[in-house]
Amino acid sequence: MKPQSARVPVEQRPCRNVSNEALRQKSCSGEKIGTRRDSRDERGNTPRTVGDAPQVCAKLFTYKKDGLQALTPAARLVALGLLLAAAGCQAWRRFPLPHDHPPAAYDEATFARKSFASFKITARNGTPVDTVIGKAGTYRVREGDTFLDIARYYDLGYNEIVDANPSVDPWVPPVGTTIVLPTEWILPCCSYEGLVVNIPEMRLYLYRRTPGDARTLIVDTLPVGLGRDDRRTPRGRFTVRGKSVNPTWIIPQSIRAEHIEETGDTRTKIPGGDPDNPLGKYRLELTLPRYTIHGTNIPWGVGMQVSHGCARLYPEDIERLFPLVPIGTRGEFTYQAVKVGTRGGATYAEVHRDIYRYVPQLRRAAQAALKRRGLGEQIDETALARALQEERGIPVRVSRRRGIAAMLRTAN
């Protein structure tokens, strides 16, 4: 989480109607959400900001059940159709459409009904033919919105929506602002089996085979929260060795000492179902010692570096993932700040912040990724350099656009 540049005066009244009870209690009691260091500080740039919850809780977490206002869904579709017809087919191809209508209110019931990113893609010998999935969308900010709830509703990590919209205040986004929903991803290279968690991206991918259909691969992708800088999520391969519902948290001695020092909490374990249990309702136990994939009692931590190294998912996401992952599933925590892939013959690059500062040169990482995929030729160096500089976590086309003559020669 990044430090905030513009502080919002605290209003002397309690927070109301916060969608997540744990967040309301923590933020309104004055406890900091935590900060995430922007790796670009070392390059001389001013960090982008996300702020501290206590500074803005009174303003930010009072949601108005104002619905969608103005137009009905049918009227909006008619208006959109007229707009696109007037603009012509070229505008149709460029126009980024929202995924669906926003909810009337953000609450746990709404989040439980949200959509999840799942794709059926064509594979050849177990390898995807195209490695870019999804489609970016847009969202128009309503009164009371924050990036926390927008991200959760569209199943994004907080990091993803902040990085995709660097010029927008994540705590008090201006009403009416159109923001990017970064719901398009390049698959991490080059394992397409079981669970893959890309650490800089803070996103999990689950690959499943379609029974009786070797040419179809199902990909589910979900955001995660990972280890803070002093307790980094490790790289490495693992196997799912167990699964548990309402797991009891046996507090490791090092974490217990931290709790005693910070809060005076001397407990050695927290039973399943307790609101203070950070594991949530479901847990996947891994062969990596001390590390698991689990839910959370604090959903705002998804897309942030706030854990002691484990991967945390939104409660509704781990509930969906849990039955899809049998014991024995193989997986990997990988570290790919730069991903490259293809769709429709074009090459794309997706660049994320180097959160643990493992990558001294992103340019060199990009060249290695292109070589690994066999995509080093015909690259638009200007487009690639821009993607590396911006680090927005959005797939950007970096292959040169072929002229009509070259396309005709290929066709013949």
Side-chain angles (χ1 to χ4, degrees):
M1 187 171 181
K2 311 166 196 172
Q4 186 173 7
S5 59
R7 301 293 187 185
V8 179
V10 177
E11 295 186 22
Q12 301 301 317
R13 67 174 189 264
C15 290
R16 303 188 304 276
N17 303 330
V18 184
S19 61
N20 182 273
E21 179 66 18
L23 172 58
R24 183 178 69 80
Q25 291 175 353
K26 283 183 174 290
S27 62
C28 297
S29 66
E31 180 179 336
K32 289 185 179 180
I33 282 182
T35 57
R36 186 177 66 196
R37 191 171 188 272
D38 191 325
S39 61
R40 284 183 292 183
D41 291 349
E42 298 178 354
R43 304 173 195 177
N45 296 327
T46 301
R48 297 198 297 272
T49 64
V50 296
D52 296 331
Q55 300 288 338
V56 290
C57 68
K59 280 193 174 185
L60 299 185
F61 301 112
T62 302
Y63 297 120
K64 294 186 177 180
K65 297 182 180 180
D66 53 2
L68 301 178
Q69 300 179 357
L71 299 177
T72 65
R76 277 196 299 277
L77 288 175
V78 171
L80 177 60
L82 292 174
L83 174 64
L84 294 176
C89 64
Q90 185 67 21
W92 173 266
R93 287 194 294 269
R94 293 197 309 265
F95 197 86
L97 298 177
H99 291 256
D100 54 18
H101 302 304
Y106 294 112
D107 52 34
E108 294 303 308
T110 296
F111 293 135
R113 295 191 302 267
K114 73 185 186 184
S115 300
F116 300 90
S118 184
F119 307 90
K120 287 186 176 182
I121 60 176
T122 302
R124 186 180 298 119
N125 297 324
T127 300
V129 173
D130 282 335
T131 51
V132 181
I133 59 173
K135 182 179 181 181
T138 59
Y139 175 84
R140 181 166 291 182
V141 175
R142 304 172 304 156
E143 185 176 355
D145 281 343
T146 73
F147 278 13
L148 286 171
D149 280 328
I150 297 172
R152 185 175 175 187
Y153 181 72
Y154 288 102
D155 213 33
L156 296 165
Y158 185 64
N159 64 313
E160 294 177 295
I161 199 167
V162 169
D163 290 346
N165 300 277
S167 62
V168 182
D169 187 329
W171 291 109
V172 193
V175 174
T177 300
T178 297
I179 63 172
V180 175
L181 297 175
T183 46
E184 184 178 27
W185 305 276
I186 297 175
L187 302 178
C189 186
C190 290
S191 175
Y192 307 106
E193 179 182 2
L195 293 164
V196 176
V197 177
N198 187 23
I199 295 172
E201 184 181 4
M202 287 191 267
R203 180 159 281 273
L204 175 150
Y205 296 84
L206 171 65
Y207 298 96
R208 295 180 287 146
R209 306 293 172 182
T210 302
D213 184 1
R215 289 182 52 81
T216 302
L217 187 64
I218 301 174
V219 184
D220 302 276
T221 180
L222 305 164
V224 297
L226 295 176
R228 50 195 220 203
D229 196 56
D230 61 336
R231 294 183 182 270
R232 298 179 177 184
T233 300
R235 293 172 286 188
R237 298 184 181 275
F238 59 82
T239 299
V240 176
R241 62 176 177 81
K243 300 168 64 173
S244 49
V245 179
N246 283 326
T248 295
W249 185 38
I250 307 300
I251 306 175
Q253 184 56 42
S254 60
I255 298 177
R256 183 168 177 264
E258 183 180 291
H259 284 190
I260 294 173
E261 180 181 356
E262 294 180 354
T263 66
D265 187 347
T266 60
R267 287 178 290 182
T268 58
K269 64 181 180 180
I270 299 178
D274 190 302
D276 290 338
N277 191 321
L279 303 180
K281 187 174 181 180
Y282 301 96
R283 176 178 63 182
L284 301 177
E285 300 151 16
L286 313 179
T287 52
L288 279 175
R290 303 191 306 276
Y291 297 100
T292 65
I293 297 172
H294 58 77
T296 181
N297 63 334
I298 309 176
W300 54 256
V302 174
M304 298 184 187
Q305 295 165 240
V306 292
S307 80
H308 289 86
C310 294
R312 300 179 176 183
L313 284 81
Y314 290 126
E316 62 275 12
D317 285 4
I318 189 65
E319 185 171 7
R320 172 183 172 82
L321 179 69
F322 191 80
L324 301 179
V325 181
I327 294 175
T329 298
R330 292 187 290 181
E332 179 182 9
F333 286 104
T334 186
Y335 198 98
Q336 300 179 33
V338 181
K339 300 185 296 177
V340 297
T342 59
R343 178 152 63 184
T347 300
Y348 294 81
E350 180 181 325
V351 184
H352 294 270
R353 293 180 303 105
D354 176 19
I355 62 173
Y356 292 157
R357 299 176 298 283
Y358 288 156
V359 185
Q361 293 185 4
L362 285 177
R363 174 63 186 218
R364 184 174 296 177
Q367 292 172 338
L370 288 165
K371 183 178 180 180
R372 190 178 184 186
R373 293 271 198 188
L375 300 171
E377 299 180 357
Q378 301 299 316
I379 295 299
D380 183 335
E381 296 294 340
T382 300
L384 179 59
R386 185 181 303 115
L388 293 171
Q389 179 181 15
E390 293 179 347
E391 300 178 0
R392 292 184 65 192
I394 300 174
V396 175
R397 178 171 175 149
V398 295
S399 56
R400 296 175 187 170
R401 298 185 182 275
R402 298 190 299 170
I404 295 177
M407 294 173 64
L408 291 174
R409 285 197 299 271
T410 302
N412 293 330

